[in-house]
Amino acid sequence: MNSSPITSAANAMKIKSLRLYVAGTNLFTSTKYPGDPEVSTNVVSTVYGGQDFYTIPQARTITFGLNVKF
């Protein structure tokens, strides 16, 4: 049986395992609130509690990775 070119390349580089992954945080928020629902609630901060005046929007993060074991 013939091996595939990918298998042949992995064997030539002595790769034991290969894992590709994708992870995401804060990708989607569903709400009827017109602003950012994750506002400052600390009443002693410079931003009044429960108001999104000058608050920074929540970051949307997508991470790609590759784990290779030789």
Side-chain angles (χ1 to χ4, degrees), residues 1 3 20 25 31 44 50 64:
M1 178 184 269
S3 61
L20 176 67
T25 303
T31 179
V44 295
F64 297 93

Side-chain angles (χ1 to χ4, degrees), residues 15 17-21 65-69:
I15 295 175
S17 69
L18 179 81
R19 181 179 6 180
L20 176 67
Y21 64 90
L66 178 67
N67 291 337
V68 181
K69 289 184 183 179

Side-chain angles (χ1 to χ4, degrees), residues 8 10-11 20 24 29 32 35 38-39 43-44 56 61-62 64 69:
S8 299
N11 289 336
L20 176 67
T29 302
K32 292 181 181 182
E38 298 177 6
V39 297
V43 293
V44 295
I56 299 171
T61 305
I62 301 172
F64 297 93
K69 289 184 183 179

